[in-house]
mmCIF file of all heavy atoms in Angstrom:
data_model
loop_
_atom_site.group_PDB
_atom_site.id
_atom_site.type_symbol
_atom_site.label_atom_id
_atom_site.label_comp_id
_atom_site.label_asym_id
_atom_site.label_seq_id
_atom_site.Cartn_x
_atom_site.Cartn_y
_atom_site.Cartn_z
ATOM 1 N N ILE B 101 -13.825 2.708 4.511
ATOM 2 C CA ILE B 101 -14.211 4.098 4.765
ATOM 3 C C ILE B 101 -14.273 4.369 6.264
ATOM 4 O O ILE B 101 -13.767 5.382 6.751
ATOM 5 C CB ILE B 101 -15.566 4.411 4.075
ATOM 6 C CG1 ILE B 101 -15.378 4.442 2.563
ATOM 7 C CG2 ILE B 101 -16.136 5.736 4.572
ATOM 8 C CD1 ILE B 101 -16.682 4.502 1.770
ATOM 9 N N VAL B 102 -14.865 3.449 7.000
ATOM 10 C CA VAL B 102 -14.953 3.612 8.461
ATOM 11 C C VAL B 102 -13.545 3.667 9.063
ATOM 12 O O VAL B 102 -13.247 4.532 9.904
ATOM 13 C CB VAL B 102 -15.771 2.454 9.086
ATOM 14 C CG1 VAL B 102 -15.674 2.481 10.600
ATOM 15 C CG2 VAL B 102 -17.221 2.539 8.646
ATOM 16 N N ALA B 103 -12.673 2.768 8.621
ATOM 17 C CA ALA B 103 -11.301 2.737 9.150
ATOM 18 C C ALA B 103 -10.551 4.019 8.797
ATOM 19 O O ALA B 103 -9.826 4.584 9.633
ATOM 20 C CB ALA B 103 -10.560 1.523 8.588
ATOM 21 N N LEU B 104 -10.735 4.493 7.577
ATOM 22 C CA LEU B 104 -10.057 5.730 7.150
ATOM 23 C C LEU B 104 -10.526 6.917 7.987
ATOM 24 O O LEU B 104 -9.721 7.743 8.430
ATOM 25 C CB LEU B 104 -10.325 5.991 5.661
ATOM 26 C CG LEU B 104 -9.642 5.041 4.663
ATOM 27 C CD1 LEU B 104 -10.251 5.196 3.274
ATOM 28 C CD2 LEU B 104 -8.148 5.307 4.612
ATOM 29 N N ILE B 105 -11.826 7.000 8.212
ATOM 30 C CA ILE B 105 -12.359 8.115 9.003
ATOM 31 C C ILE B 105 -11.839 8.033 10.445
ATOM 32 O O ILE B 105 -11.505 9.050 11.053
ATOM 33 C CB ILE B 105 -13.910 8.113 8.956
ATOM 34 C CG1 ILE B 105 -14.367 8.495 7.547
ATOM 35 C CG2 ILE B 105 -14.494 9.081 9.985
ATOM 36 C CD1 ILE B 105 -15.865 8.399 7.332
ATOM 37 N N HIS B 106 -11.728 6.828 10.949
ATOM 38 C CA HIS B 106 -11.166 6.625 12.290
ATOM 39 C C HIS B 106 -9.750 7.211 12.373
ATOM 40 O O HIS B 106 -9.404 7.904 13.337
ATOM 41 C CB HIS B 106 -11.161 5.126 12.617
ATOM 42 C CG HIS B 106 -10.206 4.731 13.708
ATOM 43 N ND1 HIS B 106 -10.462 4.994 15.040
ATOM 44 C CD2 HIS B 106 -8.991 4.117 13.667
ATOM 45 C CE1 HIS B 106 -9.451 4.540 15.764
ATOM 46 N NE2 HIS B 106 -8.547 4.011 14.962
ATOM 47 N N VAL B 107 -8.945 6.944 11.350
ATOM 48 C CA VAL B 107 -7.569 7.448 11.343
ATOM 49 C C VAL B 107 -7.554 8.965 11.191
ATOM 50 O O VAL B 107 -6.795 9.673 11.875
ATOM 51 C CB VAL B 107 -6.759 6.782 10.205
ATOM 52 C CG1 VAL B 107 -5.410 7.455 10.038
ATOM 53 C CG2 VAL B 107 -6.570 5.303 10.488
ATOM 54 N N ILE B 108 -8.420 9.468 10.311
ATOM 55 C CA ILE B 108 -8.424 10.916 10.059
ATOM 56 C C ILE B 108 -8.840 11.680 11.316
ATOM 57 O O ILE B 108 -8.255 12.726 11.643
ATOM 58 C CB ILE B 108 -9.369 11.242 8.879
ATOM 59 C CG1 ILE B 108 -8.792 10.676 7.577
ATOM 60 C CG2 ILE B 108 -9.578 12.740 8.747
ATOM 61 C CD1 ILE B 108 -9.777 10.677 6.419
ATOM 62 N N LEU B 109 -9.843 11.187 12.007
ATOM 63 C CA LEU B 109 -10.356 11.894 13.176
ATOM 64 C C LEU B 109 -9.426 11.798 14.380
ATOM 65 O O LEU B 109 -9.457 12.652 15.262
ATOM 66 C CB LEU B 109 -11.751 11.362 13.544
ATOM 67 C CG LEU B 109 -12.839 11.604 12.491
ATOM 68 C CD1 LEU B 109 -14.178 11.094 12.985
ATOM 69 C CD2 LEU B 109 -12.941 13.084 12.125
ATOM 70 N N ASP B 110 -8.616 10.737 14.439
ATOM 71 C CA ASP B 110 -7.664 10.599 15.537
ATOM 72 C C ASP B 110 -6.327 11.189 15.089
ATOM 73 O O ASP B 110 -5.571 10.558 14.357
ATOM 74 C CB ASP B 110 -7.498 9.113 15.907
ATOM 75 C CG ASP B 110 -6.680 8.939 17.188
ATOM 76 O OD1 ASP B 110 -5.912 9.857 17.520
ATOM 77 O OD2 ASP B 110 -6.834 7.898 17.841
ATOM 78 N N GLU B 111 -6.053 12.387 15.550
ATOM 79 C CA GLU B 111 -4.878 13.104 15.052
ATOM 80 C C GLU B 111 -3.562 12.469 15.511
ATOM 81 O O GLU B 111 -2.506 12.811 14.994
ATOM 82 C CB GLU B 111 -4.944 14.571 15.493
ATOM 83 C CG GLU B 111 -6.063 15.332 14.793
ATOM 84 C CD GLU B 111 -6.117 16.790 15.210
ATOM 85 O OE1 GLU B 111 -5.385 17.154 16.136
ATOM 86 O OE2 GLU B 111 -6.915 17.529 14.615
ATOM 87 N N SER B 112 -3.643 11.598 16.491
ATOM 88 C CA SER B 112 -2.407 10.980 16.970
ATOM 89 C C SER B 112 -1.947 9.850 16.045
ATOM 90 O O SER B 112 -0.841 9.337 16.196
ATOM 91 C CB SER B 112 -2.606 10.421 18.381
ATOM 92 O OG SER B 112 -3.509 9.334 18.353
ATOM 93 N N ILE B 113 -2.817 9.470 15.102
ATOM 94 C CA ILE B 113 -2.461 8.375 14.198
ATOM 95 C C ILE B 113 -1.986 8.945 12.868
ATOM 96 O O ILE B 113 -2.669 9.784 12.269
ATOM 97 C CB ILE B 113 -3.669 7.440 13.949
ATOM 98 C CG1 ILE B 113 -4.218 6.911 15.272
ATOM 99 C CG2 ILE B 113 -3.265 6.285 13.058
ATOM 100 C CD1 ILE B 113 -5.465 6.084 15.121
#
Side-chain angles (χ1 to χ4, degrees):
Chain B
I101 290 170
V102 171
L104 289 166
I105 291 174
H106 160 75
V107 171
I108 292 167
L109 296 182
D110 189 337
E111 291 181 352
S112 67
I113 304 175

